[in-house]
Structure formats: structure tokens, C-alpha cells
Amino acid sequence: MPSARSNKPSRDDSEARRAMRLSTWFALGAGALGVVLIAWPHLLPAGGPWVQLALGAMTLFLAFRARAIGTRGVEDYDGRLSLLAAMAGFAILFFAGGEAFRLLAALGG
């Protein structure tokens, strides 16, 4: 019966859970910093779009790493926080990418 509980013993997923939590919280922190720099770009005038692009890429990497670890190694995984971080990463890359393109186009004449 597919809905019956399995008789397999529950695996110890404490290492996977710890790695997933760290990746999720670092992704949320990088995403929050990236969103703050998008909202107030005067906080980092020199190299702002490039730092924002790096933060967006780091946010996406960590968020998807957390989701991969969570789906593979954590039994009762709920991926809402890592999904929020991934959405923030996409938004950061979108807005910072537009600004970086504008700067490169201005350099090209």
C-alpha cells in the first residue's frame, strides 16, 4: 500500500539539516544585503552594480544548494525560506544586471 508507513528506521539527517539551515540563512542574509543595495544604491557608490551582481549570484547559489540538500537529505524539508532567498536572488540579478548593462553601454558610447 503506497500510503502505509515504511518499516525502515529513520535516518539521522542532522548534518544535512545543519548544512541546509546554514545555506538558507546565508542566502537570506546575502539577499537582504543585495535588496538593501538595490533600494539605496548611494550606500556603495563605487562598483555598486558589480557587488550587487555578485550578491545576487551568491544568493542564488546558496538558495539552490539549500534546496538540493533539503530535498535529498532532510526528511521533513520545508523549502519556503530558500525559495524566498532564490526569488530575492533573481530580483537582485535583474535590477543589478540592468544597471550594469546601462554602465557598460555608457562606456561604449
Side-chain angles (χ1 to χ4, degrees), residues 12-69:
D12 181 29
D13 58 355
S14 61
E15 289 181 21
R17 188 176 302 274
R18 182 177 182 273
M20 184 263 312
R21 282 184 183 153
L22 281 173
S23 295
T24 300
W25 287 110
F26 284 142
L28 285 171
L33 185 59
V35 167
V36 164
L37 289 177
I38 293 286
W40 295 289
H42 64 276
L43 293 176
L44 189 64
W50 312 114
V51 172
Q52 292 167 357
L53 283 172
L55 282 171
M58 184 172 67
T59 301
L60 278 178
F61 174 77
L62 289 171
F64 284 120
R65 182 176 186 268
R67 291 186 69 78
I69 292 170

Side-chain angles (χ1 to χ4, degrees), residues 48-92:
W50 312 114
V51 172
Q52 292 167 357
L53 283 172
L55 282 171
M58 184 172 67
T59 301
L60 278 178
F61 174 77
L62 289 171
F64 284 120
R65 182 176 186 268
R67 291 186 69 78
I69 292 170
T71 54
R72 279 186 275 141
V74 178
E75 198 166 311
D76 55 345
Y77 174 66
D78 179 22
R80 289 181 283 186
L81 285 177
S82 59
L83 179 64
L84 176 68
M87 290 176 12
F90 281 122
I92 293 165

